[in-house]
Amino acid sequence: MLGWLADAALILYFVFALFPIAWMVILSLKPANQLFSTYFSFSPTLDGYRTVLGDSEGIPFVRFFVNSLVVSLGAVALSLLVGLPAAYASARWRFKGSENLMFTLLSFRFAPELTVIIPLFVLYQKLGLFDTYVGMVWVLQLVTLPLIVWIMRSYFADLTPELEQAALLDGYTRKQAFFKVAIPLVKPGIAAVSLLAFIFAWNNFVFPLILTSNEAQTVTVGALSFLGGDRPKYNLTAAAALVSVVPPLLLALTIQRYLVRGLSFGAVKS
C-alpha cells in the first residue's frame, strides 16, 4: 500500500514539475485567434515558430539567438583558458591569503548583479563596449569564471600529486605535467563545468538587459520583445522561449557521457 502511495505521489510531483513546460508547448502551438479563448481544445499550428524564426514581426530573434551562442561560448572558452590554470594553482599551492583570494573570487559569483550594473553601464559607455560582443563576453566572466575556478579546484584537489610527481621524474616540465597528466584526468569535470557555465551565461538576463540595446542583445531579452504592444503575443513568446532551450539541451545530451567523475581519481591513494 505504501509503495502505491509513494508511486502516486511521485507521479503527481512529476506532473506538477512538468506542467509549466507542457503549458509553454501548448501556448506556442496555439493560433492567435484561440490564444485567450481556449485552454486545451485548439487547432495546433507551427505559425508561432515560423514567425519567431522568420522575422515577420520585425524582431530579429534569429540574430539574438546567434548573439547568445557567440557570447556564451566566448565567455566559457575564455573562462576555461584562465580558470583551469587558476584552479590548478589554487589546488596545488597554498600561501598566506590564498583562501581570502579564492573567497574574493567567489564573491563575484554570489554578489547581486544589480550592485555592479550601474558602474558597469557607465564604464561601458565610456569605453565603447556597450552593445558589443566583446563587452558581453567580458561581463559574463563575472558569472562563469568563479564557477569554473571553484568547481575545477575540487577536481584538481582530488587528483593525487604522485601522478604529476611521477611525470616530473620522467622529465616532464610542470607545464607538460599540467597539460598531459592533470588535464586528461579531469576531462569529465571540464565537461560538467563547461555545461554549467554555458547554462549560466546563456540564461543571464540582467547584463544583456542593461548593457545591450540591439546589436549584441541575447535571447533572454529578445524573447520578451514579443510581449510589447497593445496585445501581448504569448504564443510567440512561448515559441521563442522553447527555441532558446535547444542549445543547452543539445550540449547536455552531447557531453552526458563525460558528466561522471573519472575512475582514475585517487588511483594511487592508499
Side-chain angles (χ1 to χ4, degrees):
M1 184 65 180
L2 290 177
W4 284 100
L5 290 176
D7 291 342
L10 185 61
I11 292 173
L12 287 175
Y13 178 78
F14 182 75
V15 172
F16 172 77
L18 290 184
F19 182 76
I21 300 176
W23 189 252
M24 289 281 286
V25 174
I26 291 172
L27 276 178
S28 69
L29 296 175
K30 278 188 174 184
N33 59 353
Q34 297 180 356
L35 191 58
F36 301 100
S37 60
T38 64
Y39 289 100
F40 299 103
S41 178
F42 61 93
S43 303
T45 177
L46 295 177
D47 288 345
Y49 292 94
R50 295 190 187 99
T51 301
V52 167
L53 299 176
D55 197 17
S56 61
E57 290 286 323
I59 299 172
F61 183 78
V62 174
R63 179 156 60 81
F64 298 155
F65 188 89
V66 173
N67 291 347
S68 287
L69 282 177
V70 172
V71 300
S72 298
L73 291 175
V76 172
L78 187 57
S79 294
L80 287 174
L81 182 65
V82 177
L84 289 178
Y88 178 74
S90 65
R92 285 290 180 263
W93 292 282
R94 302 295 175 88
F95 54 89
K96 185 177 181 180
S98 61
E99 292 300 318
N100 292 334
L101 180 62
M102 291 298 297
F103 182 79
T104 301
L105 179 64
L106 181 62
S107 68
F108 296 149
R109 179 67 191 90
F110 60 68
E113 295 170 348
L114 292 176
T115 60
V116 299
I117 196 63
I118 294 178
L120 277 175
F121 177 80
V122 175
L123 286 173
Y124 270 45
Q125 291 282 4
K126 292 183 177 296
L127 296 175
L129 295 174
F130 180 79
D131 200 23
T132 63
Y133 286 158
V134 174
M136 282 306 303
V137 170
W138 185 12
V139 76
L140 288 176
Q141 302 302 302
L142 297 176
V143 178
T144 57
L145 184 59
L147 182 72
I148 287 175
V149 171
W150 269 88
I151 294 180
M152 291 309 304
R153 182 195 192 195
S154 66
Y155 275 88
F156 285 120
D158 282 346
L159 287 179
T160 177
E162 282 82 358
L163 294 174
E164 297 152 59
Q165 291 171 5
L168 294 176
L169 289 175
D170 286 340
Y172 281 33
T173 65
R174 175 62 70 174
K175 181 179 179 180
Q176 290 173 326
F178 172 67
F179 282 107
K180 295 184 178 181
V181 177
I183 289 295
L185 291 175
V186 296
K187 280 184 178 180
I190 295 175
V193 78
S194 298
L195 175 60
L196 289 175
F198 180 83
I199 291 174
F200 276 108
W202 182 274
N203 290 339
N204 190 269
F205 179 76
V206 174
F207 289 144
L209 177 66
I210 305 300
L211 300 179
T212 65
S213 61
N214 187 42
E215 294 300 321
Q217 194 172 107
T218 61
V219 291
T220 51
V221 179
L224 298 181
S225 303
F226 297 105
L227 293 178
D230 298 331
R231 190 177 179 86
K233 302 176 180 64
Y234 295 113
N235 56 335
L236 301 184
T237 304
L242 290 173
V243 170
S244 67
V245 171
V246 173
L249 183 61
L250 289 179
L251 183 60
L253 293 175
T254 301
I255 67 174
Q256 62 178 336
R257 66 191 182 97
Y258 296 108
L259 299 182
V260 179
R261 284 175 178 260
L263 295 177
S264 58
F265 284 160
V268 297
K269 286 184 179 179
S270 58

